[in-house]
Every structure is written in C-alpha cells, then in structure tokens.
C-alpha cells in the first residue's frame, strides 16, 4: 500500500515551502529550552506556488484579530504567505487589530508578492501589535530559507521545547509526498484546541474536500482530546496548506500521516503542559454512549483533584471515582472498575487497596506516562482523552506569565 | 419587624440541642489551625425533642454511604441524633458501607435512645469506616454537653479554621428564636455544594414546608455560588434541623437569618479555600439571560488561568475576557466592559491598560477581597459567584492529602 518515513525537522522537507524566523526585540529573554539564544519572535511560512488552505479555529467567542482577518477572505481562497508572531495575541483589539494586520501586509508587499496573506499570533491579550518591530523583521527575513527550526522557535511562548515533525509517504506506484508541521502550545489547552497554533504543509496532490475531511478527523483524534488546564484561548489555530507540487496522493496514506502528525504534536503539547511531568491517558469504556464516555473522560483529564493526585503520585482512586460520579454520566459503583495500566485498582469486590496493590499502583504512578481505564459496565460507549499532572510549576508559570 | 443579633459560638445557643466531639485516634496530627491540640474526629449533634429535618446532598452520582443510609428513611421522618466523623468519607464502600452505619448505631443505642439516627462523614474515599474506633467514642462523649467548638473542630479536614455561626432573632411580638450552624469545607468546592458539610439547627417553630423552601433558596444564594476547584465530592451535605422548642417564628426573619448564616459560612469556606489568599466576587451582568450570566460567572470562578492570575496579582483582564468568550455565552467585544471594583479596566474605547490604570488595578488586586464586574451589554441577565485564587499551597495540599 504505502510506507511512512519519519524525517528530521518540520517544514523544511516539504517541496516548495520556505520559512524563517528572526528576533526583532519583542522576546528579550533566552529560550525556555535553556539555550542561551534568544528565540525569534516574528516568522513566516510561504510557498512558491499558490496553496489550498483549510483551517480550524478556537471556539472562543472572542476570536483574535488574525482569525477575523482570515475569515474576511472568500471561501476557497488560495494563499502563498503566513506571517507569525509571538509575545502578542492581537486579541480583544477590536477593528483596529484587523486594520493593523492590513497595514503590516502593505509593508510586507514591498518585499514579497502576496496572495491573500494570513497572519497568526500568540501571546498576551489586549494590546495592539508593535507594528514597527514586526515590520522591521521584513528586511531581516531570508525569504528563500528552509529554516523550520527558527520558525518553530519563533512561535514558542511558555513552551519548553520546540515542536516540529514531518513524514515522507512513499506510495506503491512510485509516487511520494511529504507532510511537515510546526506547533506551539503548553497551557490554556482544552478540548476544542485551546491555545495552540499548528501549521501543517504538504506537497501532496490532495483535493480540497479531502483536506477538509481529513483535518477535521485528525483534529478530533488529537488536539480535541488533550487538556492541560481546561481553558480555551482566543487564538487557537490549526492550518493545513497544500501546494500540490509532488503530484502524488493517496487518501489512506495521507490520512495516516496526518493523524500521526497531529496526534504526536498533541502529545508533545501535553508533555510540555506547563510544569507537567506526567502524561496520562484517561480511557472510559462501558458507557451508555460515546458522548457519555467522552464527558467522563474529559472530566477526568480536567479535574484539579485528579491532576494534583497525579503530581503527588498518590494512587487515590477515590478521586477518579468521584470525578466520574460528578461528571453527570450514568454510572453505578457496583459495576465500575478502575485500572491503572493493567492493575485492577477498584471493583465492587475489591474496594480497599491492600498493601501489595497499593505498592504496585505507586510504581505505575512513578512512570512518566500511564493509562487510567474506567469501565462503567453499562454499555458500549468508549472514549480516550489525555491529560497531565498539575504542579507548583503550573501555578508559578501562570502567576507570572504576563509580568 | 424583627432584629437579628449575631451570637458567639455555633450550635450551643440553640435551646434543646447538645453536641460534643472527641478524638479516638483517627486524627493524629495537631490542628491545621496551628493549635497544639489534636482535634476530634468523631462528634454528635442531638436534640432532646424530635426534630424535623431537611437536607440537600451532592449531585455526585456516587453518593457516599451516609447519604444512602439517610435516604432509606421515609419522607418526613423525624430524628434526634446526628453522628459525625472525619478522616473517612465512607464513600464507594458499597452496601457494606451502609451496613456499617447500622452496626455503629446499634452500638450507640446502648448509650442513647435513638430515633432515625443520621450519620455524616468526610475524609478519604474508598475505605470502610474503622467501626471499633468510632464506637470507642460513645463512652467518651458527654451527651449533655453544649460543645459546638469541639464539634466544629471534629469535622475539619484540610480546613485551616473551624466554622461556626449563630444568630438570635427577636420578633416584634416579644418572641425570639435562635439559629446556629457548623460547617466544614475548603477544597472540592464547586457549584452544587461540593465537599462541604453544614449542619444548621434551630429552635424556631418553623413549618416543614418553609424549611424546604428556605433551605433551597439559601443554598442557591450561598454554597451553590462558590468554587475553589470545580470538583464535586461524594459527601456534600447540608442539613437544617428544627426542634420548635422556642414556639416563636416569622418567615421573613428566619429567611434573613438563614441566608446570612449560609452566605457567611460559604465565604468562610472560600477564604479557607485550600491555600487561597483572595476572595473574589465575579459579577456578570448585561447577559442575554440569568442562565447565561450564571454560566459566564461560574466559568470565571472556575478558570485556572483566572485563578493563577489572581494569585500573581496580575491585572491581566485578557484572561477574564478570554474565559467569558470560551464559556459559550453570547458576547460581543465591542459591548463588553470589565471593572475591578470601580475601576474601568476594559471597554471598546479603552482597551490597552495605561500605566495609571494598571497601577490602580495592581493596588486593587493586592486586597484580600475585591469584585470583578463584567457587563456584556446585551440584556438583563445578572449573576454573581465567588471564587478564590490558586496558589502553590493548593497543589501542595492536594498532592499530599491522602498520604
């Protein structure tokens, strides 16, 4: 059928796409990643050839200005340029926030031929962009660079590591195409994508309809299933661009590659979850319906008491049970079972933890990732979501974020 | 009409009620309050005369065994005894958990004449009660004591201070009655009462129907409006008992006293919110409906990002706006205004914080309590809820709670 090869780097491997990131003085501190460099704060992704584009945006009613700007383009528009910045979300900035983007693109058009250019921003809410600084990037950019590393670093905010990924897909008929992506996000992550930006580019010859369909499915299986703190930002964006340069395409192969990319990026976000040390899968099965399974699963990945118990490595299944009971789904304590990985930790017949099982539970909880499975024993509904622990570090990062 | 007098103490002031608390070795550490005493872990509240009782319980589907035990009594039953314990919630303990309560009361009946006795428990989920220890309290109790202080201390878990309150109501016709209450709760506090226990006793000659009606209203205006962490426990209980010994009653007066007691106790819980330093009122007005106002207000008091910004004393109104936008209510950034106390911090015409207003906002946020008012500018819906900040201490308390 086809083979998937994981490549080094993110956007660089995709034909016809170029990208670069520079620092214009908005970020002044060395990278969170611990390197002594100051990362970039303005970046771009562009294609030689006009691209089809599909995007998904935050459910937040106060969508940021770059999203409003994007939505002014006609349906099925094509684009050749995305401008990115960090440190300022350009959100809650009113009509002026959209005008500022137009002004910025007017300046950029002195350097590049722009076709329906798109902007995407992340950072603090409620302040106008520093246009002068952003515009100063335009003569610093190398427009023919393939510098995914700098681009990915330029959109980092509280992220502790950059996030990029790519795959080459080789088809049986000898054709091949490439998908690459960069992503940012560490907090304000909640079902419905939350503050994350993700840019996926491909040279596959993918029909526009497939782009829509496959991005929806990939998002549902990945970014919509993770939660760091249950907050949903004004700026969340996921974009898929295709320039069709490779002329090769296979729907199943593309779907698999896209799902892999979005799932792995989502897990990276969770591992980077502000101050998080543990990645936990919350599987709920045996629910009356998929909706109920989802509701219980998301309640678990969002619960503060569950998150702090994970941080404390405390095998306190009572908080798991209590959270399911509070989630509003149909449940029955005599039918419920709870497992940590393969260890049965609660059932009707085996309620209190004996010393041996408690010790085994402790050792599972010391792992950096594990699975909690709750079987409600009532039906066929299943869902899995992914969460992380809540540490002192989360509070510290978020108490200090703006100042 | 009537006069309300705040009294010292809680349950002691109410005629015909007796209470005491003792330590039987389940609590082994000195009080959280910093006193060198080890607080009690088993307590009782009883009345000489049979009482009418009204209760509200958690919405959690996994209701604890004491609640199941209570619900086995017929409608409109009367009682004369409530037994209380901390350190163990007797939740997720199955049918055995209810049987254990019956066994305990069989032992207690050797000491006291019991009429439909009630138990109420708080503590860790998933373990059977230590019956032997609880029963050992029965010969230690002073059944004729009026020891509200020890009773209130005996139900404390992560609470940092005991919570008790009482009022005497003097009517114009010369009659008077008394209401007294004790309460516990500091975490797992969420709309729908969450882990709190509250016992209110009165000697007022209140009709049973008024008890139901007024307790519902009082709960809605107090415990249902506070949030520490958005989690809802298995054990939440609020009970109102009346023995009618005073023969005096006035509905308006009783309502005012009951509302005052429940509101003040709810604020005490919030001030004690695990590790919390600030009490913040989140008022939403101008919403399309009361339901929408409530939804936005509760989203604010539950948001981790808002809570950590409060802890950081960061006047980051962007997180307030973003949380409203994410709550799903109808809103429009050009109509929204946000005030911190009386300081306008956001409006369509005044988006960026200038230095002077930022300084004023900083100084408001340094207060131990203040109000955030969001006017959506769309309708008549209003709601106010109460939250607290999220500190390192919260994470510490909850990472360590069980172990």
């Amino acid at each position: 059928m086809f083979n998937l090869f994981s490549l080094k780097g993110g956007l660089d491997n995709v034909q016809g796409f170029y990208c670069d990131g520079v620092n214009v003085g908005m970020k002044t501190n060395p990278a969170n990643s611990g390197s002594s460099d100051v990362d970039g704060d303005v970046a771009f992704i562009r294609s030689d050839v006009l691209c089809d584009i599909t995007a998904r945006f935050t459910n937040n009613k106060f969508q940021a200005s770059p999203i409003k700007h994007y939505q002014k383009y006609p349906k099925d528009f094509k684009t050749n340029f995305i401008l990115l910045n960090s440190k300022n979300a350009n959100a809650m900035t009113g009509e002026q926030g959209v005008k500022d983007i137009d002004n910025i693109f007017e300046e950029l058009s002195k350097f590049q031929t722009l076709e329906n250019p798109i902007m995407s921003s992340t950072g603090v809410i409620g302040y106008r962009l520093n246009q002068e600084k952003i515009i100063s990037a335009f003569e610093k950019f190398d427009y023919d660079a393939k510098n995914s590393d700098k681009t990915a670093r330029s959109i980092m905010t509280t992220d502790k590591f950059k996030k990029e990924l790519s795959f080459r897909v080789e088809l049986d008929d000898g054709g091949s195409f490439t998908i690459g992506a960069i992503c940012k996000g560490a907090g304000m992550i909640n079902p419905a994508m939350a503050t994350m930006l993700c840019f996926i580019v491909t040279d596959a010859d993918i029909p526009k309809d497939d782009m829509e369909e496959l991005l929806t499915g990939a998002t549902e299986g990945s970014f919509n299933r993770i939660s760091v703190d249950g907050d949903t930002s004004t700026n969340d964006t996921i974009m898929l661009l295709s320039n069709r340069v490779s002329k090769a395409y296979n729907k199943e192969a593309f779907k698999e590659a896209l799902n892999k990319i979005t799932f792995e990026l989502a897990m990276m976000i969770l591992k980077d979850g502000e101050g998080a040390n543990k990645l936990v899968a919350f599987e709920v099965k045996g629910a009356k319906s998929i909706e109920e399974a989802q509701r219980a699963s998301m309640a678990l990945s969002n619960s503060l008491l569950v998150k702090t118990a994970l941080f404390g490595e405390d095998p306190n299944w009572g908080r798991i049970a209590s959270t399911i009971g509070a989630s509003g789904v149909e449940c029955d304590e005599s039918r419920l079972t709870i497992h940590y990985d393969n260890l049965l930790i609660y059932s009707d017949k085996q309620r209190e933890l004996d010393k041996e099982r408690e010790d085994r539970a402790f050792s599972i909880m010391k792992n950096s990732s594990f699975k909690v499975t709750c079987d409600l024993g009532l039906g066929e509904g299943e869902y899995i979501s992914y969460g992380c622990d809540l540490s002192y570090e989360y509070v510290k990062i978020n108490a200090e974020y703006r100042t």
Side-chain angles (χ1 to χ4, degrees), chain A residues 186-396:
Chain A
M188 249 174 135
I189 299 301
N190 190 37
M193 293 186 355
T195 304
M196 43 122 349
L197 303 180
C198 178
F199 305 97
I200 308 166
V201 302
T202 184
D203 51 24
D205 191 19
I206 179 174
K208 184 74 195 297
D209 283 352
D210 285 5
M211 287 174 70
E212 298 282 353
E213 176 194 331
L214 299 182
L215 188 64
T216 299
T219 304
E220 205 294 306
S222 59
F223 299 117
N224 282 358
R225 288 177 184 244
I226 60 174
S227 174
V228 171
D229 52 20
D231 281 285
T232 301
S233 109
T234 49
N235 289 59
D236 307 331
T237 296
I238 174 165
M239 288 182 181
L240 170 62
L241 280 84
S242 69
N243 64 10
R244 307 222 170 99
V245 169
S246 80
K247 306 291 175 212
Y249 179 64
N250 169 288
K251 188 172 177 178
E252 276 313 300
F254 191 88
K255 181 179 177 180
E256 185 168 325
L258 183 65
N259 286 350
K260 235 186 162 79
I261 280 187
T262 51
F263 186 80
E264 289 190 18
L265 288 173
M267 293 305 117
M268 284 187 199
I269 287 177
L270 215 48
K271 278 181 198 148
D272 200 356
E274 290 165 350
N277 305 300
K278 288 179 198 305
L279 191 162
V280 183
F282 293 100
E283 181 178 37
V284 173
K285 53 190 192 183
K288 277 278 183 180
S289 65
I290 293 175
E291 292 67 32
E292 293 226 337
Q294 179 175 5
R295 190 165 168 187
S297 171
M298 299 296 324
L300 289 169
S301 51
N302 276 317
S303 161
L304 276 190
L305 284 172
V306 170
K307 283 167 170 299
T308 47
L310 294 177
F311 175 60
E313 299 179 346
D314 180 356
N316 190 344
W317 62 262
R319 292 192 186 171
I320 304 277
S322 174
T323 301
I324 289 177
S327 71
V329 305
E330 199 172 323
C331 51
D332 175 343
E333 69 180 83
S334 70
R335 285 166 176 262
L336 176 70
T337 61
I338 303 175
H339 285 79
Y340 287 4
D341 284 345
N342 292 320
L343 175 69
L344 177 67
I345 198 149
Y346 170 87
S347 74
D348 186 36
K349 302 223 166 355
Q350 191 187 279
R351 288 169 184 257
E352 292 188 18
L353 271 187
D354 56 41
K355 184 76 178 72
E356 190 223 325
R357 278 189 304 140
E358 188 164 51
D359 286 347
R360 286 171 62 196
F362 269 121
S363 72
I364 290 169
M365 294 193 78
K366 291 209 180 304
N367 296 332
S368 62
S369 75
F370 58 95
K371 184 157 88 165
V372 174
T373 303
C374 302
D375 189 335
L376 306 187
L378 298 170
E380 300 296 315
E382 290 191 18
Y383 196 84
I384 188 162
S385 73
Y386 304 88
C388 59
D389 56 336
L390 181 76
S391 66
Y392 304 134
E393 198 59 19
Y394 176 89
V395 178
K396 188 169 153 62

Side-chain angles (χ1 to χ4, degrees), chain A residues 44-289:
Chain A
F44 74 86
I45 303 168
R46 71 170 195 87
S47 167
D48 267 346
V49 180
L50 273 186
C51 294
D52 272 333
I53 181 162
T54 306
R56 297 288 172 277
F57 297 112
T58 180
N59 288 332
N60 196 303
K61 290 262 169 68
F62 295 134
Q63 292 185 319
S65 296
I67 300 177
K68 293 181 195 165
H69 179 266
Y70 178 102
Q71 287 164 339
K72 285 165 62 179
Y73 289 127
K75 193 171 176 297
D76 292 331
F77 74 97
K78 291 173 189 284
T79 184
N80 65 353
F81 205 98
I82 305 178
L83 181 65
L84 310 168
N85 76 280
S86 51
K87 296 298 280 182
N88 186 325
N90 192 11
M92 300 297 290
T93 42
E95 286 171 26
Q96 190 60 50
V98 178
K99 278 184 206 152
D100 288 350
I101 296 173
D102 284 328
N103 291 342
I104 285 167
F105 282 136
E106 203 172 309
E107 291 301 316
L108 181 58
S109 68
K110 296 172 187 166
F111 296 81
Q112 284 282 301
T113 307
L114 300 176
E115 198 76 40
N116 302 322
I118 295 161
M119 191 157 186
S120 190
S121 303
T122 180
V124 175
I125 294 170
Y127 293 85
R128 285 181 61 188
L129 291 174
N130 186 324
Q131 295 188 61
E132 203 178 326
K133 283 192 175 166
I134 289 173
I135 289 165
S136 76
F138 300 160
E139 55 186 23
K140 292 185 171 184
F141 280 150
D142 176 354
Y143 293 95
D144 295 319
K146 280 182 161 283
N147 205 332
S148 182
D149 174 66
K150 283 197 175 170
T151 309
R153 287 177 182 279
S154 296
I155 56 173
M156 285 167 65
T157 55
T158 56
D159 303 60
K160 280 206 281 299
F161 55 87
K162 67 161 180 177
K163 299 166 185 71
E164 53 175 1
L165 263 184
S166 55
F167 288 97
R168 188 173 70 247
V169 181
E170 297 193 352
L171 304 175
D172 280 355
D173 66 6
S176 75
F177 59 83
T178 315
I179 308 184
I182 61 169
C183 180
K184 67 91 29 181
M188 249 174 135
I189 299 301
N190 190 37
M193 293 186 355
T195 304
M196 43 122 349
L197 303 180
C198 178
F199 305 97
I200 308 166
V201 302
T202 184
D203 51 24
D205 191 19
I206 179 174
K208 184 74 195 297
D209 283 352
D210 285 5
M211 287 174 70
E212 298 282 353
E213 176 194 331
L214 299 182
L215 188 64
T216 299
T219 304
E220 205 294 306
S222 59
F223 299 117
N224 282 358
R225 288 177 184 244
I226 60 174
S227 174
V228 171
D229 52 20
D231 281 285
T232 301
S233 109
T234 49
N235 289 59
D236 307 331
T237 296
I238 174 165
M239 288 182 181
L240 170 62
L241 280 84
S242 69
N243 64 10
R244 307 222 170 99
V245 169
S246 80
K247 306 291 175 212
Y249 179 64
N250 169 288
K251 188 172 177 178
E252 276 313 300
F254 191 88
K255 181 179 177 180
E256 185 168 325
L258 183 65
N259 286 350
K260 235 186 162 79
I261 280 187
T262 51
F263 186 80
E264 289 190 18
L265 288 173
M267 293 305 117
M268 284 187 199
I269 287 177
L270 215 48
K271 278 181 198 148
D272 200 356
E274 290 165 350
N277 305 300
K278 288 179 198 305
L279 191 162
V280 183
F282 293 100
E283 181 178 37
V284 173
K285 53 190 192 183
K288 277 278 183 180
S289 65

